[in-house]
Amino acid sequence: MKILITGGAGFIGSHLAHLHLQKGDRVHVVDDLSTGRRANIALHLGLSRFTFSEADIVTWDGLNDAARAADRIYHLAAVVGVRRTLEDPVRVVKTNIAGTERVMRAIEKSGRRPEVLVASSSEAYGFNPRPMFSESDDLLLHSRDHLRWCYAVSKLTDEFIAYSYAEKFGFKLTVARLFNTIGPRQVEHYGMVVPNFVKQAVTGRPITVYADGSQTRSFADVRDTVRALDLLAGSPLAPGETVNVGADQEISILDLARLVRERADSQSEIVFIPYREAYGEDFEDITHRRPCLDKLFELTSFQHRWTLTATIDDLITRARAELGLLETKELHPG
Ligand code: UDP
């Protein structure tokens, strides 16, 4: 099978590329390396079944040819995360909105009907008051702080653009709303909580819990996430569906800090940082986030293989190896 992955040198995209190469597929990755990294795909660069194009999807002149060649397209290229959005909202409009439309137009022009999976985000649910977020829930975005919701709106717009093209041009589209995803190759530069806590715990620095740490999240291992995406993209039942992808074990950020500290056998102090200090402004955090995964389980045979503790143990081992504190042979493969 020929697979095109936009954003395929990023954290999730590179694991997806790895999965498909392991399955024997041909993989074409396009990535502008804005947050993606060449190191994420370095292992594949010499493979004849792997092609890498360093390009921005908004301007890439190879897009039409790549779309025409693909049996399956994963559209992951995006400016990701609320805080990066706040730094450069215009870039979000260009990459997330114009980029998605350009990818859909390329599929239209190809005249083919590939399997298409578009990555959306749990952020689209906004301040959902329900304990578990279901795909049929109403979406609750606040009217104030207009730029705060730019990312969520860009992802909702992507969903809408993709559905419009799929309906009109008859290709198989599935939208995956990705919940918090963690695992190897996720870097801490963008403030993501798990890589931050792991690095802090293994180096003995204070573990920085924002606010009082009562906010909750549910973390999925990226190696599970990409298997779910593959199953969804190939499921005959999934086209036309928006599906949550993640894990449904909820944990407070304070308990997460305690868990990471305990698993790393670390003496790090847990410190509480006000949101204002952490984000440099009056940031409105999501208080809780947990997916209902019934639809994912109904549409696919997906089962999780990783627990939060197993992923954290793996990340601690990797962080120690990177810091030269451990032999790399102790690492889990993948
Ligand atoms: N967080 C934290 N300490 C950190 C980084 C993040 O307490 O060093 C909190 C953050 O405020 C949020 C949660 O952890 O409540 C998850 O943050 P992340 O950026 O990983 O994901 P998202 O906010 O997109 O769910």
Side-chain angles (χ1 to χ4, degrees):
M1 204 175 194
K2 290 183 185 159
I3 311 286
L4 173 65
I5 307 175
T6 72
F11 164 54
I12 298 177
S14 64
H15 282 275
L16 199 51
H18 180 69
L19 176 82
H20 278 290
L21 287 169
Q22 277 188 322
K23 290 175 67 171
D25 295 322
R26 303 186 79 81
V27 176
H28 189 162
V29 158
V30 53
D31 198 303
D32 67 357
L33 301 183
S34 53
T35 49
R37 293 183 301 162
R38 195 175 284 273
N40 288 347
I41 48 166
L43 276 179
H44 314 319
L45 285 173
L47 295 177
S48 59
R49 286 186 290 112
F50 183 76
T51 308
F52 173 53
S53 301
E54 182 179 341
D56 180 341
I57 47 157
V58 181
T59 52
W60 183 34
D61 58 11
L63 181 60
N64 288 339
D65 288 344
R68 199 173 307 115
D71 303 308
R72 179 182 294 179
I73 299 174
Y74 292 99
H75 177 45
L76 269 59
V79 177
V80 183
V82 175
R83 277 161 310 271
R84 291 195 62 239
T85 305
L86 289 171
E87 282 161 20
D88 195 351
V90 171
R91 192 132 189 262
V92 177
V93 174
K94 288 186 180 164
T95 306
N96 296 16
I97 298 180
T100 298
E101 219 237 328
R102 189 161 184 258
V103 170
M104 295 304 130
R105 260 189 285 133
I107 298 169
E108 174 201 342
K109 276 194 206 137
S110 75
R112 294 194 59 209
R113 303 286 174 265
E115 295 166 352
V116 179
L117 185 136
V118 169
S120 182
S121 166
S122 59
E123 187 69 21
Y125 287 104
F127 279 94
N128 191 336
R130 299 168 73 107
M132 289 173 93
F133 298 5
S134 292
E135 295 85 348
S136 56
D137 288 349
D138 290 336
L139 307 175
L140 184 63
L141 308 185
H142 287 176
S143 296
R144 63 178 186 279
D145 296 335
H146 39 282
L147 284 183
R148 161 68 178 82
W149 295 103
C150 179
Y151 179 64
V153 170
S154 79
K155 283 289 154 190
L156 284 169
T157 308
D158 285 353
E159 294 185 11
F160 174 73
I161 292 170
Y163 275 125
S164 307
Y165 275 80
E167 176 144 334
K168 181 150 185 193
F169 301 105
F171 57 85
K172 293 179 194 149
L173 168 76
T174 305
V175 169
R177 285 195 181 145
L178 298 174
F179 282 66
N180 292 69
T181 308
I182 57 172
R185 299 185 216 137
Q186 186 176 39
V187 288
E188 75 272 15
H189 318 315
Y190 306 111
M192 314 303 249
V193 67
V194 169
N196 254 8
F197 283 4
V198 166
K199 194 66 151 299
Q200 290 164 342
V202 301
T203 55
R205 284 185 285 129
I207 300 179
T208 52
V209 169
Y210 298 162
D212 64 2
S214 61
Q215 69 274 33
T216 66
R217 294 292 186 273
S218 316
F219 297 96
D221 189 292
V222 67
R223 290 156 287 192
D224 280 340
T225 298
V226 296
R227 281 191 306 104
L229 297 181
D230 175 30
L231 288 168
L232 275 175
S235 163
L237 304 173
E241 300 288 343
T242 298
V243 188
N244 289 341
V245 173
D248 57 4
Q249 309 293 310
E250 199 173 15
I251 185 169
S252 76
I253 296 303
L254 179 55
D255 283 345
L256 176 72
R258 292 182 176 131
L259 178 66
V260 172
R261 185 173 62 170
E262 181 206 312
R263 302 305 297 184
D265 200 15
S266 163
Q267 303 302 313
S268 288
E269 184 192 356
I270 294 179
V271 295
F272 296 89
I273 314 271
Y275 282 129
R276 189 180 291 276
E277 207 178 298
Y279 298 125
E281 59 189 284
D282 230 355
F283 183 77
E284 219 181 353
D285 199 7
I286 301 287
T287 54
H288 66 284
R289 180 184 288 150
R290 180 184 181 204
C292 170
L293 297 176
D294 291 353
K295 201 165 172 184
L296 175 64
F297 295 134
E298 277 163 24
L299 299 177
T300 69
S301 58
F302 175 72
Q303 289 188 326
H304 294 90
R305 291 184 186 156
W306 287 85
T307 62
L308 177 59
T309 306
T311 305
I312 286 173
D313 287 351
D314 182 42
L315 294 177
I316 289 168
T317 309
R318 286 169 188 274
R320 288 199 170 121
E322 272 171 32
L323 292 164
L325 304 171
L326 198 73
E327 294 290 315
T328 40
K329 65 178 175 336
E330 290 178 52
L331 293 179
H332 190 284

